[in-house]
Coordinates of all heavy atoms in Angstrom, one line a residue:
Chain U
G348 N -16.9 22.1 21.9 CA -17.6 21.2 21.0 C -18.5 20.2 21.8 O -18.4 20.2 23.0
P349 N -19.3 19.4 21.1 CA -20.3 18.6 21.8 C -19.7 17.7 22.9 O -20.3 17.5 24.0 CB -20.9 17.7 20.7 CG -20.0 17.9 19.5 CD -19.3 19.2 19.7
V350 N -18.5 17.1 22.7 CA -18.0 16.2 23.8 C -16.7 16.9 24.4 O -16.0 16.2 25.1 CB -17.6 14.8 23.2 CG1 -18.9 14.0 23.0 CG2 -16.8 14.9 21.9
K351 N -16.6 18.2 24.2 CA -15.5 18.9 24.8 C -14.1 18.4 24.4 O -13.1 18.4 25.2 CB -15.6 19.0 26.3 CG -17.0 19.6 26.7 CD -16.9 20.2 28.1 CE -16.7 21.6 28.2 NZ -16.5 22.6 28.8
R352 N -14.0 17.8 23.2 CA -12.8 17.3 22.6 C -12.5 18.1 21.4 O -12.5 17.6 20.3 CB -12.8 15.8 22.3 CG -12.8 14.9 23.5 CD -11.4 14.6 23.9 NE -11.2 14.6 25.4 CZ -10.0 14.7 26.0 NH1 -8.9 14.8 25.3 NH2 -10.0 14.7 27.3
G353 N -12.2 19.4 21.6 CA -11.8 20.3 20.5 C -11.3 21.6 21.0 O -11.5 21.9 22.2
V354 N -10.6 22.3 20.1 CA -10.1 23.7 20.5 C -10.4 24.5 19.3 O -10.6 24.0 18.2 CB -8.6 23.7 20.9 CG1 -8.3 22.8 22.1 CG2 -7.7 23.3 19.7
Y355 N -10.4 25.8 19.5 CA -10.6 26.7 18.4 C -9.3 27.0 17.6 O -8.3 27.2 18.2 CB -11.2 28.1 18.8 CG -12.6 27.9 19.4 CD1 -12.9 28.4 20.7 CD2 -13.6 27.4 18.7 CE1 -14.2 28.3 21.2 CE2 -14.9 27.3 19.2 CZ -15.2 27.7 20.5 OH -16.4 27.6 21.0
L356 N -9.5 27.2 16.3 CA -8.4 27.7 15.4 C -9.1 28.9 14.7 O -9.9 28.7 13.9 CB -8.0 26.6 14.4 CG -6.9 27.0 13.4 CD1 -5.6 27.4 14.1 CD2 -6.6 25.8 12.4
D357 N -8.6 30.0 15.1 CA -9.4 31.2 14.8 C -8.7 32.2 13.8 O -7.5 32.5 14.0 CB -9.6 32.0 16.1 CG -10.7 33.0 16.1 OD1 -11.1 33.4 15.0 OD2 -11.2 33.4 17.1
F358 N -9.4 32.6 12.8 CA -8.8 33.4 11.7 C -9.2 34.9 11.8 O -9.0 35.7 10.9 CB -9.0 32.9 10.3 CG -8.3 31.6 10.1 CD1 -8.9 30.4 10.5 CD2 -7.0 31.5 9.6 CE1 -8.2 29.2 10.4 CE2 -6.4 30.3 9.5 CZ -7.0 29.2 9.9
R359 N -10.0 35.2 12.9 CA -10.6 36.5 13.0 C -9.5 37.6 12.8 O -9.6 38.5 12.0 CB -11.3 36.6 14.4 CG -12.0 38.0 14.6 CD -12.4 38.1 16.0 NE -11.2 38.2 16.9 CZ -11.2 38.4 18.2 NH1 -12.4 38.4 18.8 NH2 -10.1 38.5 18.9
D360 N -8.4 37.5 13.6 CA -7.4 38.5 13.6 C -6.7 38.6 12.2 O -6.4 39.7 11.8 CB -6.4 38.3 14.7 CG -7.0 38.3 16.1 OD1 -8.2 38.8 16.2 OD2 -6.4 37.9 17.1
A361 N -6.4 37.5 11.7 CA -5.7 37.4 10.4 C -6.6 38.1 9.3 O -6.1 38.9 8.5 CB -5.4 36.0 10.0
I362 N -7.9 37.8 9.3 CA -8.8 38.4 8.3 C -8.9 39.9 8.6 O -8.9 40.7 7.6 CB -10.2 37.7 8.4 CG1 -10.1 36.3 7.9 CG2 -11.2 38.5 7.6 CD1 -11.3 35.4 8.0
A363 N -8.9 40.3 9.8 CA -9.0 41.8 10.1 C -7.8 42.5 9.6 O -7.8 43.6 9.1 CB -9.2 42.0 11.6
R364 N -6.6 41.8 9.8 CA -5.3 42.4 9.4 C -5.0 42.4 7.9 O -4.6 43.4 7.3 CB -4.2 41.7 10.2 CG -3.0 42.6 10.4 CD -2.0 41.9 11.4 NE -1.7 40.5 11.0 CZ -2.0 39.4 11.7 NH1 -2.6 39.6 12.9 NH2 -1.8 38.2 11.3
Q365 N -5.3 41.3 7.3 CA -4.9 41.1 5.9 C -6.0 41.1 4.9 O -5.8 41.1 3.7 CB -4.1 39.7 5.8 CG -3.0 39.6 6.8 CD -2.5 38.2 6.7 OE1 -2.3 37.6 5.7 NE2 -2.2 37.6 7.9
G366 N -7.2 41.0 5.4 CA -8.4 41.0 4.5 C -8.7 39.6 4.1 O -7.9 38.7 4.1
R367 N -10.0 39.5 3.8 CA -10.6 38.1 3.5 C -9.9 37.6 2.3 O -9.6 36.4 2.2 CB -12.1 38.3 3.3 CG -12.8 37.0 3.1 CD -14.2 37.2 2.7 NE -14.7 36.0 2.0 CZ -15.6 35.2 2.4 NH1 -16.3 35.5 3.5 NH2 -15.9 34.1 1.7
E368 N -9.6 38.4 1.3 CA -9.1 38.0 0.1 C -7.7 37.3 0.2 O -7.5 36.2 -0.3 CB -9.0 39.1 -0.9 CG -9.2 38.7 -2.3 CD -9.9 39.8 -3.1 OE1 -11.2 39.8 -3.0 OE2 -9.2 40.6 -3.7
A369 N -6.9 37.9 1.0 CA -5.5 37.4 1.2 C -5.6 36.0 1.9 O -4.9 35.1 1.5 CB -4.7 38.3 2.1
I370 N -6.5 35.9 2.8 CA -6.7 34.6 3.5 C -7.3 33.5 2.5 O -6.8 32.4 2.5 CB -7.5 34.8 4.8 CG1 -6.8 35.7 5.7 CG2 -7.9 33.5 5.4 CD1 -5.5 35.2 6.2
A371 N -8.2 34.0 1.7 CA -8.8 33.0 0.8 C -7.8 32.6 -0.2 O -7.8 31.4 -0.6 CB -10.0 33.7 0.1
A372 N -6.9 33.4 -0.7 CA -5.9 33.0 -1.7 C -5.0 31.9 -1.1 O -4.6 31.1 -1.8 CB -5.1 34.2 -2.1
R373 N -4.7 32.0 0.2 CA -3.8 31.1 0.8 C -4.5 29.8 1.2 O -3.9 28.7 1.1 CB -3.2 31.7 2.1 CG -1.7 31.8 2.1 CD -1.2 32.7 3.2 NE -1.2 34.0 2.7 CZ -1.1 35.1 3.6 NH1 -1.2 34.9 4.9 NH2 -1.1 36.3 3.1
Y374 N -5.7 29.9 1.7 CA -6.3 28.7 2.3 C -7.7 28.4 1.8 O -8.4 27.6 2.3 CB -6.5 28.9 3.8 CG -5.2 29.4 4.5 CD1 -5.2 30.6 5.1 CD2 -4.1 28.6 4.6 CE1 -4.1 31.1 5.8 CE2 -2.9 29.1 5.2 CZ -3.0 30.3 5.8 OH -1.8 30.8 6.4
G375 N -8.1 29.1 0.7 CA -9.5 29.0 0.2 C -10.0 27.6 0.1 O -11.1 27.3 0.7

Side-chain angles (χ1 to χ4, degrees):
Chain U
V350 287
K351 304 201 95 179
R352 284 273 141 198
V354 302
Y355 292 125
L356 179 62
D357 198 341
F358 293 87
R359 184 193 64 180
D360 298 349
I362 291 172
R364 205 171 51 243
Q365 306 171 43
R367 183 188 159 118
E368 211 142 278
I370 296 300
R373 236 168 275 159
Y374 313 113

